[in-house]
Amino acid sequence: MKTFVIIFLSFSFLVRLSFLLWDFRQVDSNVFNLIKTFVVGLFFDIGTVSYFTIPYLIYLIFFPIKWYGNLVDRIITYFGFSLGVLISYFSFFGEFTFWDEFQRRYNFIAVDYLVYTYEVVKNINESYPLPILIGSLLILVFLTVFLTIKLGFFQISFKNETSFKNKLVAALPWFIIVFICGFSITNDQAEWSSNRYNNELSKAGIYSFFAAFRNNELAYSEFYKTIPEKVAFEVIQNDFENKGETILHANKNEIFRTVINTDSIKKEQKPNVIFICIESLSAKYLQTFGGEENITPTLDLLAQESLFFTNLYATGTRTVRGMEAITLSIPPTPGRSIVKRKNNTGLFTIGEVFRIKGYQRNFFYGGDGYFDNMNTYFGGNGFNIVDRGRGFLLDKNITTTRTNIEDNEVSFENAWGVCDEDIYAKVLKEADKAYKTGIPFFDFVMTTSNHKPYTYPEDKVDIPSGSGRNGAIKYTDYAIGEFLETAKTKPWFKNTVFVIMSDHCASSAGRWELDIQNYHIPGLIYNLSEAQPQKVDKLSSQIDMFPTLFAQLGWDYESNLFGQNILNMKPEDERAFVGNYRKLGYLKDNKVMVLGDGESANFYQWNPGDNSLNSLPMDSEFLKTAISNYQVADNLYKNGGLKLNSLIK
């Protein structure tokens, strides 16, 4: 057992040191803080390895001494040691790929990946030489076991004659450590620094994984700063009423209200709407925002021909969080996205506004929408599904239709689904069908090509497939251009509005609690009748895109959405919501309030120039507004306030 503990702690130290050197410029390199990082890390490593030791300690305590070294003892000991070493090595080496993608120790994303093994394993196989990696891992495990045998450590165990009492005394410290870690130590206690990298380095990967497994959902009211519910709702209701909107049940904990956008001049329009949700596209890659690679010529041109929002921020760091923000128009709730939670069907989404206006609603995805619960969410909220089904059936309660992307409609496919050109071809085909019915359509199109392993059809762009993100972005941009050029030849094009926005940035990593620049995304509305192209620099959020579109179309409607019409925002209305699964940020006037579990609240001045956060004295009104938005959002979800049947009667 001592050998295993030494191996585990040594490898954990090497992983931590490697990550430190990997991103040394991002780390707080103050000597004291570096020492503390490794000390805290060692503490969590010891806590982690203690869990590994308990099964074998129990075995040693109760297995009779007279049978030590017999065949059964040897099989159990060799197998247990080999399994522990295999798990440790697999975890340690897996952390390098996870860190490369997310700059974090294992978190809830790693937990989710256990569920969707097909996409994840295929993606890993397409991104890395998997046979070589697995073979190397098994060889390393074999060499470790072989060396341990040769050094005689197993023989020491097999010839041990320690009494039951002494074994119990020797095991007691490990049981105490497990007890303390299980009931008193939480993973967020590793977050002692204002530098996010130091916090992540202080954690232990396996410990973080199981902490995320337990805390995929966090009840806001239990873990975050709160104010009286009535006060929180009054803050939000008053904000809407000050914008001229009418709360329908002001005496209830609701935000359901009437939004009026028509007047004597603006009349209602009902064009088709195609929304393209671009996978992992940060604003910084566009030349419009200073990108120097010229990999988004289509989007840069569209920026000159559209309502282009230059100061727009994603609410989260994953596709399902973006989908939540876009469709529910809601600030992020702690834990996993509502898309992946229970009770996520029959909700008031933007799709409900389209339904009331007489639209057919469709969700397009190039992979199997079973992934990340997308089909259940969209189908359960009234969208027809068009995806690359692999046999996973829709929930029996979903009554919308499902259309498969057939093999003969696929020119290229990787782990995440068909290439963007293929999904757009399917969109065009379905749009042609819908046009013949005379019913307007709203299509939500989720792209996949800008995702690791960054593979796409050859000879489309001048960067080889699979060579990196820049190539995938250029292909993504190329596919949008080809799609729009083909759409222009269609009879329905003139009466179709195209909304294009990213789901989240390419990376959320940074040295601060929340790295604000890594939530900055592009967004635009193209081909909008009678709207002059303009760049809109008002600070805004993903949740505002469709309320803005509805306003431009002159729609009056009942709303349960948090979003605002960006074009009508006054300076005091501008704000954005940014967060990850534990940190919730409220951004306004270059200041950001970060709410954390453990009822923490930190107030910062954000410097867009160097992306730094500098502490500010607490502002009680700013804090109250931040809390109100997040508390109300969570309250509505938890208490059925997002459900259609509780709103529309």
Side-chain angles (χ1 to χ4, degrees):
M1 193 184 78
K2 290 180 182 179
T3 306
F4 174 76
V5 171
I6 292 171
I7 291 172
F8 184 96
L9 295 179
S10 298
F11 263 82
S12 189
F13 173 82
L14 289 174
V15 169
R16 187 169 288 110
L17 180 62
S18 299
F19 292 160
L20 171 67
L21 297 175
W22 192 333
D23 287 303
F24 188 75
R25 287 181 297 177
Q26 301 287 347
V27 176
D28 181 352
S29 57
N30 175 278
V31 174
F32 174 79
N33 288 335
L34 284 179
I35 293 173
K36 186 172 181 179
T37 297
F38 279 86
V39 170
V40 173
L42 177 62
F43 175 82
F44 277 90
D45 290 341
I46 292 173
T48 303
V49 77
S50 66
Y51 285 96
F52 280 91
T53 66
I54 295 303
Y56 191 60
L57 284 173
I58 293 173
Y59 166 75
L60 288 177
I61 290 170
F62 294 102
F63 195 76
I65 294 176
K66 63 181 179 179
W67 292 344
Y68 278 12
N70 69 9
L71 181 61
V72 173
D73 184 32
R74 289 175 182 271
I75 291 174
I76 292 175
T77 301
Y78 287 141
F79 175 78
F81 181 81
S82 301
L83 180 63
V85 170
L86 176 62
I87 293 173
S88 300
Y89 286 174
F90 181 84
S91 170
F92 294 146
F93 292 125
E95 280 205 81
F96 282 97
T97 60
F98 197 81
W99 186 274
D100 179 49
E101 184 77 13
F102 303 105
Q103 285 74 52
R104 296 178 185 274
R105 308 306 285 263
Y106 290 136
N107 60 15
F108 75 107
I109 298 175
V111 175
D112 282 352
Y113 278 2
L114 280 183
V115 178
Y116 304 106
T117 53
Y118 175 85
E119 288 84 356
V120 174
V121 171
K122 191 174 180 184
N123 178 44
I124 293 173
N125 191 40
E126 291 175 353
S127 303
Y128 305 98
L130 200 56
I132 295 176
L133 292 178
I134 293 176
S136 301
L137 180 64
L138 293 176
I139 290 172
L140 184 59
V141 172
F142 173 79
L143 290 175
T144 301
V145 175
F146 178 77
L147 184 61
T148 304
I149 292 173
K150 282 296 185 181
L151 292 174
F153 294 119
F154 284 112
Q155 289 302 315
I156 295 173
S157 176
F158 295 147
K159 294 179 180 180
N160 193 296
E161 296 185 358
T162 306
S163 66
F164 176 84
K165 179 180 178 181
N166 289 336
K167 286 189 292 185
L168 196 60
V169 171
L172 188 59
W174 292 105
F175 283 100
I176 292 174
I177 293 173
V178 167
F179 180 84
I180 293 173
C181 289
F183 291 95
S184 302
I185 305 300
T186 59
N187 202 48
D188 61 315
Q189 288 173 307
E191 301 191 356
W192 54 270
S193 173
S194 61
N195 183 290
R196 192 190 63 79
Y197 277 84
N198 289 73
N199 293 335
E200 292 298 321
L201 291 173
S202 296
K203 298 175 183 177
I206 297 176
Y207 200 99
S208 293
F209 176 87
F210 284 100
F213 187 84
R214 289 190 301 174
N215 296 313
N216 253 346
E217 290 190 25
L218 295 171
Y220 183 93
S221 59
E222 294 180 21
F223 294 96
Y224 293 80
K225 279 187 176 296
T226 61
I227 57 179
E229 276 186 15
K230 182 176 177 58
V231 174
F233 273 91
E234 285 177 351
V235 169
I236 304 304
Q237 290 174 343
N238 290 340
D239 185 51
F240 289 132
E241 289 177 335
N242 290 337
K243 295 178 176 63
E245 300 171 1
T246 304
I247 303 295
L248 294 177
H249 307 109
N251 60 330
K252 296 183 179 180
N253 286 347
E254 293 182 1
I255 64 167
F256 196 49
R257 63 198 188 279
T258 301
V259 179
I260 303 297
N261 287 308
T262 56
D263 54 32
S264 59
I265 299 176
K266 182 174 287 186
K267 304 300 180 183
E268 184 175 82
Q269 305 175 51
K270 289 188 179 180
N272 306 306
V273 177
I274 296 178
F275 170 60
I276 299 174
C277 191
I278 305 178
E279 170 69 40
S280 305
L281 183 64
S282 306
K284 66 182 180 181
Y285 291 109
L286 276 66
Q287 268 194 329
T288 304
F289 292 110
E292 299 177 353
E293 303 293 336
N294 191 28
I295 53 179
T296 58
T298 298
L299 291 174
D300 287 318
L301 179 61
L302 288 174
Q304 308 301 319
E305 302 175 348
S306 310
L307 287 179
F308 185 69
F309 302 96
T310 64
N311 205 9
L312 184 71
Y313 288 80
T315 65
T317 62
R318 294 205 66 202
T319 295
V320 286
R321 185 63 81 184
M323 288 176 170
E324 169 194 272
I326 294 160
T327 56
L328 288 172
S329 185
I330 192 173
T333 51
R336 58 171 47 184
S337 164
I338 291 173
V339 174
K340 300 199 62 172
R341 296 194 203 176
K342 299 176 182 178
N343 301 317
N344 68 351
T345 60
L347 306 179
F348 190 104
T349 69
I350 58 171
E352 180 62 15
V353 180
F354 280 105
R355 184 194 69 80
I356 292 173
K357 297 297 181 180
Y359 281 68
Q360 177 190 103
R361 299 157 293 166
N362 308 294
F363 170 64
F364 290 80
Y365 181 59
D368 191 322
Y370 164 79
F371 181 75
D372 267 351
N373 206 43
M374 289 186 282
N375 280 353
T376 296
Y377 176 75
F378 280 94
N381 287 298
F383 287 76
N384 298 314
I385 306 297
V386 183
D387 72 336
R388 182 74 165 141
R390 296 197 317 273
F392 293 105
L393 301 178
L394 295 180
D395 187 283
K396 62 181 180 181
N397 297 319
I398 295 175
T399 58
T400 55
T401 64
R402 185 182 191 185
T403 303
N404 195 45
I405 301 172
E406 303 295 346
D407 290 346
N408 61 8
E409 298 176 299
V410 178
S411 66
F412 182 90
E413 189 171 16
N414 65 17
W416 300 109
V418 303
C419 66
D420 287 359
E421 287 176 280
D422 290 343
I423 194 66
Y424 292 141
K426 190 68 172 178
V427 171
L428 292 167
K429 183 181 293 187
E430 295 300 315
D432 289 342
K433 293 179 184 178
Y435 173 71
K436 293 177 181 178
T437 69
I439 300 173
F441 56 84
F442 167 51
D443 292 342
F444 188 119
V445 186
M446 185 67 233
T447 71
T448 59
S449 290
N450 185 29
H451 195 296
K452 209 168 191 175
Y454 310 124
T455 54
Y456 42 85
E458 295 285 0
D459 302 321
K460 300 293 184 177
V461 296
D462 58 2
I463 302 176
S465 172
S467 61
R469 187 181 294 277
N470 279 4
I473 291 173
K474 193 162 190 176
Y475 172 73
T476 294
D477 182 84
Y478 163 84
I480 292 172
E482 293 296 300
F483 168 62
L484 291 176
E485 286 303 309
T486 304
K488 288 176 182 177
T489 67
K490 302 293 184 178
W492 45 262
F493 174 80
K494 186 176 180 181
N495 191 40
T496 301
V497 174
F498 299 84
V499 182
I500 302 176
M501 182 168 60
S502 178
D503 58 352
H504 59 86
C505 283
S507 172
S508 63
R511 63 183 301 176
W512 311 102
E513 273 198 281
L514 290 174
D515 196 272
I516 305 301
Q517 281 185 351
N518 285 341
Y519 291 84
H520 187 204
I521 58 173
L524 60 86
I525 301 175
Y526 171 69
N527 206 38
L528 187 61
S529 176
E530 301 177 5
Q532 294 299 314
Q534 63 173 302
K535 290 188 176 182
V536 182
D537 62 0
K538 297 179 180 182
L539 175 64
S540 52
S541 169
Q542 266 178 325
I543 72 173
D544 301 317
M545 182 61 80
F546 277 90
T548 301
L549 175 66
F550 297 155
Q552 293 306 295
L553 297 180
W555 287 5
D556 300 336
Y557 61 101
E558 291 182 336
S559 175
N560 204 46
L561 313 174
F562 279 75
Q564 305 177 31
N565 175 9
I566 300 172
L567 298 180
N568 278 359
M569 283 183 177
K570 299 174 182 176
E572 61 268 24
D573 298 327
E574 298 178 36
R575 84 288 172 260
F577 302 95
V578 296
N580 54 42
Y581 78 109
R582 288 183 50 228
K583 304 288 187 179
L584 306 171
Y586 179 72
L587 176 65
K588 186 178 181 67
D589 299 327
N590 286 343
K591 297 174 183 176
V592 60
M593 185 71 69
V594 180
L595 306 177
D597 52 354
E599 301 185 1
S600 67
N602 297 316
F603 192 38
Y604 300 102
Q605 181 74 47
W606 175 50
N607 183 345
D610 62 8
N611 198 35
S612 62
L613 296 179
N614 297 294
S615 295
L616 289 173
M618 184 56 63
D619 182 322
S620 59
E621 283 302 310
F622 202 107
L623 176 62
K624 181 180 177 182
T625 303
I627 291 174
S628 296
N629 278 280
Y630 286 113
Q631 187 173 331
V632 167
D634 188 75
N635 179 285
L636 290 176
Y637 169 74
K638 294 290 186 183
N639 296 295
L642 302 180
K643 291 283 188 178
L644 282 171
N645 59 17
S646 72
L647 298 171
I648 303 175
K649 301 171 184 176

